[in-house]
């Protein structure tokens, strides 16, 4: 006998009363802001459905509700998966910096054809495989500094919500149950696209919006229902190819089990035993946790169609408002081709982190605006490492010059209104991270100029205050992007490097500083005596040991490579 919803305790799980205020009960209190910054009025974001950048106005003043499609936990995470997570983490962090209270929902798809098939091939229980890879994804998010979601619902925990929503769609006349020759439900339920005149509005099948250059690229890269033939980016769900459909565009809300499906991967419903179609889980869970209508639905570009188009249609057909704005992050590409495990060019996150610091990988993944394609290469990582070296060197030198590092509490307390204007303008321009990064390095150059003149300033206290202000600004901007080297997880992972030295009571750092300083003093004497061979030998030896030397008007400084 197929498993009932209640036999796994899922009905009770799905219908439990959720916390009244997720921000108060789930999110760290330090992430809850008390007042919306004046800068929030200038925020403009792109909307996939309208093809336009427009001013962001929250549905509820002072609050933002975001739902971002998470992973299908069939196998290990690769760089392409994590790019979307980092991109929307930056969006979320900017909302937080603007002073909004953010409820951020990211789902886990833990029941799916691929999970079932791969578990069967490996001789595993499907739920054990799903949980194993869910933990790998969670570790990857943590390693790369992605904030934990307000709530992270699993599909298997919300079967009752999905069943209820499907019944609403049927009752509203927008779905049909397939019956067998005996008149009994087969377990297949399809959305009736012809009954829903708004179908296609997200991906512009109706052509109701004027296309711009960015949307034309997105439309070309994100397939639409008008595209015929095989689609390697959005392979057809076998259930969606069924001859039982009334219309080729119809899609599965509920699927009858395959003969190979385990008994514990089947749930009884009024329309027959089976399991959910791919799209219904996000409609059910977004409504469950964000209620009727929310501010932003996010995901990767390849989810525009069919996933998000279908999701928008079924949510509205159930009688609920959908997201007010749809945002999509572009792909990571390798030699111009979308990075994907199924295409054989995906790079696993653990493999990349084995050769690069997590800070460098996050910077590389988040270094361009979220709607821009990101070409992944050795050069991408080299540029990110160079950026880290510049950041860490300035933070270390500035901290040493003022005698301390500003505390994390001070950095996190900086509001958007107190950040440099060019940084705020870039972030408010549809999260233009490239422009924001340029603002950070402009501030670093100015800070380095202040440091070079520090010893010649008669008003040394004023000069130190200026250096400290530059240091606070740089770290606060980096923190907004999740990149302050003196924040977690970078400090614990050792990614802070020499930047953590000033103000860090580290016996190891003090000992290293003394040893390197002695070498630098010897090198300075050699240069003074014009013994450049000796000076170069000292520099090369330090370099081989992982110590980078930077010569300046006030002498030489060092940092870890």
């Amino acid at each position: 006998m197929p498993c009932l919803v209640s036999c796994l305790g899922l009905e009770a799980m799905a219908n439990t009363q959720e916390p009244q205020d997720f921000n108060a009960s789930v999110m760290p209190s330090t992430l809850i802001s008390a007042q919306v910054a004046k800068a929030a009025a200038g925020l403009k974001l792109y909307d996939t459905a309208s093809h336009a950048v427009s001013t962001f106005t929250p549905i509820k003043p002072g609050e933002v509700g975001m739902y971002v499609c998470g992973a299908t936990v069939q196998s290990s995470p690769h760089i392409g998966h994590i790019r979307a997570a980092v991109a929307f983490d930056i969006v979320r962090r900017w909302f937080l910096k603007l002073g909004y209270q953010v409820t951020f929902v990211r789902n886990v798809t833990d029941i799916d054809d691929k999970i079932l098939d791969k578990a069967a091939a490996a001789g595993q229980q499907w739920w054990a495989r799903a949980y194993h890879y869910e933990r790998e994804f969670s570790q990857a998010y943590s390693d790369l500094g992605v904030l934990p979601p307000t709530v992270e619902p699993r599909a298997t925990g919300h079967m009752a919500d999905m069943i209820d929503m499907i019944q609403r769609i049927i009752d509203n006349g927008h779905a049909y149950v397939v019956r067998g020759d005996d008149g009994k439900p087969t377990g297949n339920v399809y959305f009736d696209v012809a009954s829903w005149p708004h179908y296609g509005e997200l991906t512009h099948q109706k052509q109701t919006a004027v296309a711009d250059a960015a949307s034309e690229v997105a439309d070309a890269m994100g397939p639409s229902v008008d595209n015929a033939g095989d689609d390697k980016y959005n392979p057809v769900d076998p259930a969606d190819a069924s001859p039982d459909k009334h219309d080729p565009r119809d899609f599965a809300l509920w699927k009858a089990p395959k003969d190979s499906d385990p008994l514990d991967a089947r749930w009884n419903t009024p329309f027959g035993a089976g399991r959910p179609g791919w799209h219904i889980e996000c409609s059910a869970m977004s409504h469950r946790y964000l209620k009727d209508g929310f501010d932003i639905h996010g995901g990767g570009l390849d989810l525009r169609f069919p996933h998000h188009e279908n999701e928008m249609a079924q949510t509205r057909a159930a009688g609920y408002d959908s997201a007010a704005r749809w945002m999509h992050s572009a792909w990571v590409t390798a030699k111009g081709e979308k990075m994907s495990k199924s295409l054989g060019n995906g790079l696993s996150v653990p493999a990349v982190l084995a050769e690069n610091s997590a800070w460098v990988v996050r910077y590389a993944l988040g270094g361009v605006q979220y709607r821009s394609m990101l070409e992944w290469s050795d050069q991408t990582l080299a540029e990110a490492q160079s950026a880290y070296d510049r950041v860490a060197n300035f933070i270390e030198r500035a901290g040493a010059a003022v005698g301390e590092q500003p505390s994390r509490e001070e950095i996190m307390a900086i509001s958007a209104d107190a950040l440099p204007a060019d940084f705020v303008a870039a972030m408010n321009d549809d999260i233009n991270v490239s422009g924001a990064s340029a603002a950070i390095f402009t501030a670093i150059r100015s800070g380095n100029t202040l440091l070079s003149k520090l010893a010649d300033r008669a008003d040394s206290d004023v000069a130190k205050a200026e250096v400290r202000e530059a240091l606070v600004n740089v770290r606060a901007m980096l923190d907004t992007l999740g990149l302050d080297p003196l924040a977690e997880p970078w400090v614990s992972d050792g990614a802070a490097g020499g930047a953590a030295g000033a103000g860090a009571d580290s016996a190891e750092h003090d000992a290293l500083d003394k040893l390197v300083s002695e070498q630098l003093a010897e090198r300075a004497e050699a240069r003074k005596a014009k013994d450049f061979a000796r000076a170069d030998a000292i520099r090369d030896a330090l370099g081989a040991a992982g110590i980078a030397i930077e010569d300046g008007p006030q002498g030489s400084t060092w940092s870890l490579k």
Side-chain angles (χ1 to χ4, degrees):
M1 189 68 180
C3 178
L4 294 171
V5 174
S6 58
C7 84
L8 290 181
L10 298 176
E11 187 171 49
M13 184 186 302
N15 291 325
T16 53
Q17 180 67 33
E18 63 268 19
Q20 293 300 309
D21 182 353
F22 283 119
N23 286 295
S25 62
V26 181
M27 292 187 69
S29 59
T30 53
L31 299 181
I32 301 175
S33 302
Q35 186 174 358
V36 176
K38 294 179 181 178
L43 177 60
K44 294 183 177 181
L45 298 172
Y46 188 81
D47 178 23
T48 300
S50 68
H51 274 168
V53 174
S54 59
T55 299
F56 173 80
T57 302
I59 295 172
K60 296 180 180 179
E63 300 179 18
V64 174
M66 294 181 67
Y67 184 97
V68 174
C69 286
T72 299
V73 286
Q74 54 168 312
S75 52
S76 296
H78 64 70
I79 289 299
H81 291 133
I82 302 301
R83 194 271 167 106
V86 170
F88 285 103
D89 185 62
I90 293 171
V91 175
R92 177 190 184 184
R93 285 173 181 269
W94 184 235
F95 278 124
L96 290 168
K97 184 58 71 174
L98 288 172
Y100 288 106
Q101 292 188 12
V102 181
T103 301
F104 188 95
V105 182
R106 184 183 66 216
N107 73 298
V108 176
T109 299
D110 59 344
I111 180 73
D112 170 84
D113 280 297
K114 292 178 181 178
I115 294 171
L116 294 175
D117 293 344
K118 290 184 177 181
Q124 301 168 314
Q125 297 279 9
W126 64 271
W127 44 265
R129 182 183 184 90
Y131 184 59
H132 173 85
Y133 289 112
E134 178 184 340
R135 293 178 68 184
E136 282 200 13
F137 270 88
S138 296
Q139 187 63 53
Y141 296 143
S142 178
D143 288 344
L144 293 170
V146 175
L147 295 173
T150 311
V151 63
E152 190 167 31
R154 298 188 184 106
T156 52
H158 295 76
M159 290 296 173
D161 296 278
M162 290 185 250
I163 293 167
D164 289 346
M165 181 168 279
I166 291 170
Q167 190 63 58
R168 286 179 64 96
I169 298 170
I170 294 171
D171 293 344
N172 290 343
H174 298 299
Y176 54 91
V177 178
V178 175
R179 297 182 180 275
D181 295 337
D182 58 1
K184 294 181 179 180
T186 63
N188 285 319
V189 182
Y190 290 98
F191 186 87
D192 185 359
V193 171
S195 75
W196 188 250
H198 304 289
Y199 190 81
E201 289 182 355
L202 177 63
T203 48
H204 315 115
Q205 315 309 322
K206 303 293 184 183
Q207 295 302 318
T208 55
V210 177
D212 59 9
S215 64
E216 288 175 354
V217 171
D219 287 344
M221 300 296 280
S224 76
V225 293
D226 295 329
N227 289 355
D230 294 335
D231 173 12
K232 60 186 177 182
Y233 299 132
N234 288 285
V236 174
D237 185 326
D240 288 341
S242 170
D244 294 328
K245 297 199 303 183
H246 295 175
D247 185 300
R249 299 174 299 168
D250 294 352
F251 56 89
L253 297 175
W254 193 261
K255 304 192 295 188
K258 299 181 295 185
D259 292 341
S260 59
D261 287 354
L263 292 179
D264 60 357
R266 311 176 187 202
W267 289 263
N268 274 349
T269 74
F271 21 90
R275 53 190 171 85
W278 174 28
H279 317 296
I280 193 67
E281 67 176 89
C282 288
S283 289
M285 290 190 283
S286 63
H287 179 71
R288 171 67 184 277
Y289 295 103
L290 296 171
K291 302 306 178 187
D292 193 5
F294 53 96
D295 296 289
I296 291 172
H297 195 311
L301 176 63
D302 49 346
L303 297 181
R304 290 168 67 250
F305 185 87
H307 184 50
H308 286 166
E309 186 70 71
N310 293 352
E311 186 185 337
M312 173 191 273
Q314 66 197 11
T315 299
R316 295 169 65 188
Y320 304 128
D321 288 336
S322 189
R325 186 181 301 265
W326 293 75
M327 298 173 67
H328 293 91
S329 60
W331 294 331
V332 177
T333 58
K335 299 181 180 179
E337 183 78 354
K338 176 196 172 189
M339 189 175 286
S340 167
K341 190 177 298 293
S342 62
L343 298 179
N345 62 352
L347 287 174
S348 76
V349 173
V352 175
L353 290 179
E355 298 182 357
N356 303 274
S357 79
W359 192 102
V360 165
V361 175
R362 181 183 171 104
Y363 183 94
L365 287 171
V368 299
Q369 200 256 9
Y370 71 96
R371 285 195 289 132
S372 299
M373 297 293 175
L374 173 61
E375 177 67 16
W376 192 262
S377 65
D378 290 342
Q379 181 179 349
T380 306
L381 290 165
E383 291 172 353
Q385 180 63 55
S386 177
Y388 173 75
D389 292 342
R390 293 171 64 190
V391 164
N393 182 267
F394 169 72
I395 291 176
E396 179 192 1
R397 293 174 63 216
V402 301
E404 65 171 3
Q405 281 291 348
S407 69
R408 279 290 299 151
E409 290 73 21
E410 179 180 355
I411 298 303
M412 294 174 69
I414 303 296
S415 77
D417 291 336
L419 293 172
D422 51 351
F423 180 86
V424 173
M427 293 299 287
N428 271 347
D429 181 19
D430 196 26
I431 318 296
N432 179 5
V433 176
S434 297
S437 297
I440 292 172
F441 287 109
T442 295
I444 287 175
R445 283 194 296 273
S446 298
N448 282 330
T449 299
L450 291 173
L451 284 169
S452 68
K453 298 177 179 178
L454 191 60
D456 298 330
R457 292 274 296 270
D459 56 343
S460 59
D461 289 341
V462 174
K464 285 184 178 180
E466 292 174 352
V467 170
R468 192 180 194 284
E469 180 182 5
L471 175 59
V472 168
N473 280 337
V474 167
R475 285 187 54 197
M477 288 187 285
L478 288 166
D479 190 50
T480 303
L481 302 181
L483 291 170
D484 178 10
L486 301 186
E488 294 293 349
W490 320 123
V491 172
S492 294
D493 289 347
D505 295 327
S506 167
E508 292 86 352
H509 182 274
D510 291 344
L512 180 61
D513 182 55
K514 184 175 181 180
L515 291 171
V516 174
S517 296
E518 289 175 356
Q519 291 292 301
L520 292 180
E522 184 178 342
R523 178 171 175 266
E525 288 297 320
R527 295 175 72 185
K528 185 176 180 180
K530 299 189 183 301
D531 186 355
F532 297 114
R534 174 60 180 158
D536 290 345
I538 294 173
R539 183 185 188 116
D540 292 344
L542 290 171
I547 306 295
I549 305 303
E550 182 171 327
D551 296 320
Q554 308 305 319
S556 300
T557 58
W558 69 273
S559 62
L560 295 175
K561 291 184 178 179

